[in-house]
Amino acid sequence: MTAQRFALRLLAGYRPSAVQRMALATQNATTQRRALATQNVTSQTTADSGELYDVVIIGGGPAGCALAAALGSLDSLSRKRVALVDPGKLSEMRQWTPPADAYLPRTLQITSSNKRYLDNLGLWQWCFEDRVQAYNRAVVTDALGGGAVDLAAMTLHGRNDTAFMVETKNLVSGLLKALDHSSSCVDVVERARVTEIEATPSMWPVVTLSNSRRLQARLIVGADGASSRVRKYAGIGTYGTEYAQYGLVATLCLEQLNSSAFQRFLPSGPIALLPFPGGFANLVWSLDSELVQLLKTAPEAIFADLINAAFRLTPAEMGYIYSLLRSGVDPDIIGAEVAWRLDVFARNNPDTNIKLPPRVAALSPRSRTSFPLRMRMVDSLVANRVALIGDAGHVMHPLAGQGLNMGLADVQCLAQVLEQAAAAGEDL
């Protein structure tokens, strides 16, 4: 029964059944959604609302670039208009040339399933793959109990790589290059900061940028980090805790090649050594603010000695060495003390090398940096015409390296939902 015939019968005193009323409501709702979905945003611009987009992604970090590249690679979304907005210089990031003799300290661990997702979309190939390290073994030890777990991946379908280590700049640069080489309608808006997000009578929010551009969107995606402005606009609450610790990261040069990950739990916080090609490694060491400052300012040779010690010596011995640092003892004396204790450890534990990482030979110059550790979750990842991905929706301890992996799970889920909506002719 059409809506017109239904209305005429109502005038004649006809009483519809509940099923008929529900069917008519569904028909009207579907018609409205499809009317919205078929509005062409390719060239629409109004003086009040600004440029019209289907999706505006705020934030050009790993999660935001991954979503933009994913949407740009899907044929079903090829007619949708997408904008990627970031205050940084994304064109320079796209043209990033890696240093020949060093790795950057800001790194990411990508699970094999997320790597396959990027591979299947044709995105991973744009990274410098010779700078990516696959690994399939992780050794975890406990400084207090002496326990150890040696985790090795099983071979499945001819593959046994558990995870991949990649520099953050390498991944983001590759994703931006993938956008360049796609035939998508993704506009990259760089050097533009969000100054305001406001609702409009049309229900499509408007994003005002520092370059005076105004972008109106069916959907705004917040990929703008832990202090997300998009999340605040949507009124989405957060909860969590501060760990009162910092993550100290650095690039290390090892005495030998390595393709395994190592982690040791210390009373002061876990320390992890993650492999990179060519005998390089990434360090992530969780410490309180006082120790972080102490170790960041220690001579590089002493810092390398302390990493070797942290994987081998007892917590009491580490506490004594920290006290020497606090007291301003001559670095040569501290170095000799650490070397002697490591020598004693090696003589007393001749069969433990398989559970220990290769010794650190040196530290990449000026590679030490730190960041606060916290946990943040949100009440909801979605609101009216808003979705959150990556750190905008969840921040976690780097202990298991799952931060971006959860962000990439957000990307997969959101891209799938948008693809399904587009295929059904629905409003995004």
Side-chain angles (χ1 to χ4, degrees):
M1 182 185 297
T2 65
Q4 291 85 352
R5 290 177 61 193
F6 192 82
L8 289 173
R9 294 188 66 179
L10 282 176
L11 290 173
Y14 171 71
R15 301 290 295 175
S17 69
V19 172
Q20 288 174 315
R21 290 197 302 272
M22 183 179 298
L24 183 63
T26 302
Q27 178 183 344
N28 289 339
T30 302
T31 302
Q32 289 177 343
R33 285 199 307 271
R34 289 183 174 170
L36 282 170
T38 54
Q39 289 181 25
N40 180 21
V41 301
T42 303
S43 60
Q44 285 185 337
T45 303
T46 67
D48 294 333
S49 302
E51 307 163 64
L52 303 185
Y53 283 87
D54 292 290
V55 181
V56 173
I57 304 166
I58 307 298
C65 286
L67 179 62
L71 298 184
S73 70
L74 298 172
D75 291 339
S76 58
L77 298 175
S78 61
R79 298 183 63 185
K80 302 300 181 182
R81 199 169 180 217
V82 180
L84 174 64
V85 179
D86 191 80
K89 302 175 182 179
L90 295 183
S91 57
E92 292 184 8
M93 179 69 76
R94 183 188 305 113
Q95 298 165 4
W96 175 70
T97 301
D101 56 351
Y103 284 80
L104 304 180
R106 288 287 189 166
T107 64
L108 301 165
Q109 175 186 274
I110 308 295
T111 62
S112 56
S113 60
N114 278 327
K115 191 259 187 184
R116 282 197 299 274
Y117 173 73
L118 297 176
D119 250 338
N120 292 338
L121 293 179
L123 307 178
W124 185 263
Q125 64 178 320
W126 296 103
C127 298
F128 292 96
E129 293 193 62
D130 60 329
R131 296 179 68 85
V132 176
Q133 177 66 57
Y135 73 90
N136 57 18
R137 177 173 177 252
V139 179
V140 183
T141 56
D142 178 17
L144 290 178
V149 179
D150 194 337
L151 304 171
M154 294 188 301
T155 300
L156 185 64
H157 305 305
R159 299 186 298 266
N160 66 347
D161 294 323
T162 301
F164 298 79
M165 293 301 302
V166 59
E167 297 154 290
T168 303
K169 280 191 174 182
N170 190 4
L171 179 63
V172 173
S173 175
L175 293 170
L176 290 170
K177 282 184 282 192
L179 270 178
D180 259 6
H181 288 82
S182 73
S183 57
S184 67
C185 294
V186 178
D187 295 336
V188 177
V189 184
E190 63 176 348
R191 306 187 192 195
R193 180 175 50 84
V194 174
T195 59
E196 186 180 16
I197 305 175
E198 56 187 322
T200 64
S202 69
M203 299 185 301
W204 293 5
V206 173
V207 180
T208 303
L209 305 178
S210 56
N211 61 6
S212 299
R213 289 181 66 177
R214 288 166 58 81
L215 313 181
Q216 190 172 27
R218 297 180 190 268
L219 175 68
I220 297 179
V221 179
D224 47 347
S227 301
S228 171
R229 183 156 190 164
V230 175
R231 186 182 66 229
K232 292 173 184 175
Y233 156 76
I236 297 174
T238 66
Y239 59 94
T241 186
E242 301 289 334
Y243 288 117
Q245 284 196 320
Y246 286 76
L248 176 57
V249 298
T251 302
L252 313 176
C253 306
L254 307 180
E255 291 183 350
Q256 62 191 70
L257 297 178
N258 171 59
S259 59
S260 298
F262 295 87
Q263 187 172 53
R264 192 185 194 203
F265 283 85
L266 297 160
S268 56
I271 181 172
L273 185 147
L274 304 163
F276 268 93
F280 286 92
N282 180 244
L283 172 76
V284 184
W285 196 347
S286 301
L287 297 158
D288 63 43
S289 58
E290 187 260 345
L291 275 177
V292 161
Q293 291 305 314
L294 196 66
L295 297 188
K296 280 177 71 174
T297 56
E300 291 183 352
I302 295 298
F303 185 71
D305 288 341
L306 287 171
I307 298 168
N308 292 325
F311 276 102
R312 292 163 176 83
L313 301 187
T314 66
E317 289 177 297
M318 292 302 297
Y320 174 68
I321 295 168
Y322 293 150
S323 70
L324 298 180
L325 275 172
R326 292 187 185 96
S327 302
V329 173
D330 185 276
D332 291 339
I333 295 176
I334 297 176
E337 179 73 22
V338 174
W340 173 73
R341 291 180 181 274
L342 289 174
D343 182 62
V344 171
F345 173 87
R347 284 188 278 109
N348 292 338
N349 301 274
D351 300 323
T352 59
N353 284 339
I354 193 170
K355 302 293 185 185
L356 296 171
R359 290 179 61 137
V360 178
L363 179 69
S364 286
R366 298 178 298 280
S367 68
R368 282 175 285 186
T369 187
S370 62
F371 55 92
L373 301 179
R374 57 174 63 98
M375 187 275 285
R376 283 285 182 275
M377 301 299 288
V378 294
D379 295 332
S380 173
L381 288 172
V382 295
N384 184 37
R385 298 201 177 273
V386 168
L388 304 177
I389 63 173
D391 284 357
H394 35 70
V395 177
M396 63 194 64
H397 197 288
L399 176 69
Q402 292 305 303
L404 180 61
N405 286 298
M406 288 189 67
L408 290 175
D410 297 337
V411 168
Q412 293 187 52
C413 182
L414 183 55
Q416 183 181 35
V417 169
L418 294 178
E419 191 175 21
Q420 291 171 346
E426 294 185 340
D427 178 26
L428 297 184

